[in-house]
Amino acid sequence: MSAEVETSEGVDESEKKNSGALEKENQMRMADLSELLKEGTKEAHDRAENTQFVKDFLKGNIKKELFKLATTALYFTYSALEEEMERNKDHPAFAPLYFPMELHRKEALTKDMEYFFGENWEEQVQCPKAAQKYVERIHYIGQNEPELLVAHAYTRYMGDLSGGQVLKKVAQRALKLPSTGEGTQFYLFENVDNAQQFKQLYRARMNALDLNMKTKERIVEEANKAFEY
């Protein structure tokens, strides 16, 4: 009888341990920064996808002047973002996400600007007002709260590696741009062989960042701001 009781108790104890381990694993997964960002920005992401500009773009209903304006805004946005990433490349809250060869877009956007505006393009363009607030926010974050920089990097680059590839084909078709890539260098990630695998690596690096829950929540909040900008 006593042996039966001991066996029974042993099973209960084992089940409790398994249950506890499973619960802990679920809690850890839910606390993963990539999961928190995915869930926490879902509404903002949906809103961004449903703006009139994006809807028109996807239908191929876009004028060249508007595309040039969007490219200009991207140039100034990525110039700011990559300047602050460079500044913080050794910061523990960002260093594992520093992938200049694979991700940085400023050089590609410079080629696109030259294609659309000519060699003296820098004398012709200014940062659009709509992008200026975004640029100012990125500089503020990089200089004062670098742990929030991941929010902007995640929002921009992961989107570029996903939906950006669809937009490239639409732009080439709608604006009759060369199939050889002139004018759409921004969408070409020459040093990323497999976008899906790279995104998995990036998320794993994000999840390994040593951040407390409060900081993770602030990053999600900042990512929502990035979508608004």
Side-chain angles (χ1 to χ4, degrees):
M1 181 73 179
S2 61
E4 283 177 14
V5 171
E6 283 174 16
T7 306
S8 171
E9 284 177 351
V11 169
D12 287 350
E13 198 61 40
S14 172
E15 283 178 355
K16 279 180 191 171
K17 278 182 182 174
N18 286 341
S19 175
L22 195 63
E23 191 177 330
K24 189 177 180 184
E25 189 182 320
N26 283 338
Q27 284 175 349
M28 283 175 68
R29 191 178 66 78
M30 290 309 292
D32 278 349
L33 184 54
S34 64
E35 288 290 323
L36 291 169
L37 279 164
K38 185 181 173 184
E39 290 303 312
T41 60
K42 197 172 184 310
E43 284 184 23
H45 184 265
D46 288 346
R47 278 198 303 273
E49 280 192 337
N50 284 292
T51 58
Q52 199 59 49
F53 174 77
V54 175
K55 284 202 252 187
D56 286 345
F57 197 150
L58 288 169
K59 288 176 189 169
N61 182 19
I62 182 168
K63 290 185 168 58
K64 199 165 190 175
E65 285 307 309
L66 192 56
F67 189 77
K68 285 165 69 174
L69 181 64
T71 302
T72 304
L74 289 171
Y75 171 79
F76 284 101
T77 300
Y78 281 88
S79 295
L81 181 57
E82 286 159 16
E83 183 183 328
E84 295 308 331
M85 285 163 71
E86 191 67 32
R87 186 197 306 275
N88 292 286
K89 64 183 177 183
D90 297 319
H91 193 288
F94 186 76
L97 300 176
Y98 183 66
F99 289 99
M101 289 294 291
E102 293 85 353
L103 294 179
H104 284 196
R105 301 285 84 204
K106 185 181 176 180
E107 191 179 323
L109 281 161
T110 298
K111 291 176 186 174
D112 288 340
M113 293 295 280
E114 283 174 2
Y115 174 78
F116 287 121
F117 296 98
E119 284 185 15
N120 64 338
W121 63 272
E122 288 177 283
E123 297 165 22
Q124 299 179 49
V125 300
Q126 288 183 313
C127 181
K129 283 185 180 178
Q132 189 59 43
K133 287 182 181 178
Y134 195 0
V135 165
E136 287 168 4
R137 179 64 184 173
I138 289 168
H139 282 309
Y140 176 84
I141 288 299
Q143 292 165 38
N144 298 282
E145 300 178 84
E147 65 278 8
L148 301 186
L149 202 54
V150 59
H152 294 276
Y154 164 84
T155 304
R156 295 288 351 156
Y157 295 115
M158 293 302 98
D160 298 335
L161 284 168
S162 304
Q165 301 314 295
V166 176
L167 298 179
K168 174 188 174 182
K169 288 174 186 170
V170 173
Q172 284 178 331
R173 191 167 59 246
L175 301 173
K176 296 181 173 56
L177 296 173
S179 59
T180 41
E182 287 89 341
T184 53
Q185 288 294 304
F186 167 70
Y187 302 106
L188 181 64
F189 289 82
E190 288 181 326
N191 296 315
V192 176
D193 294 328
N194 185 309
Q196 201 58 40
Q197 284 179 7
F198 186 85
K199 286 189 287 185
Q200 286 173 354
L201 167 67
Y202 197 88
R203 290 188 188 106
R205 291 277 187 97
M206 277 171 52
N207 294 337
L209 292 172
D210 187 16
L211 305 168
N212 60 35
M213 198 61 192
K214 179 72 177 170
T215 303
K216 289 178 182 179
E217 286 168 358
R218 285 172 60 228
I219 289 171
V220 173
E221 190 182 327
E222 187 66 24
N224 277 300
K225 286 181 186 173
F227 272 110
E228 286 171 28
Y229 287 122

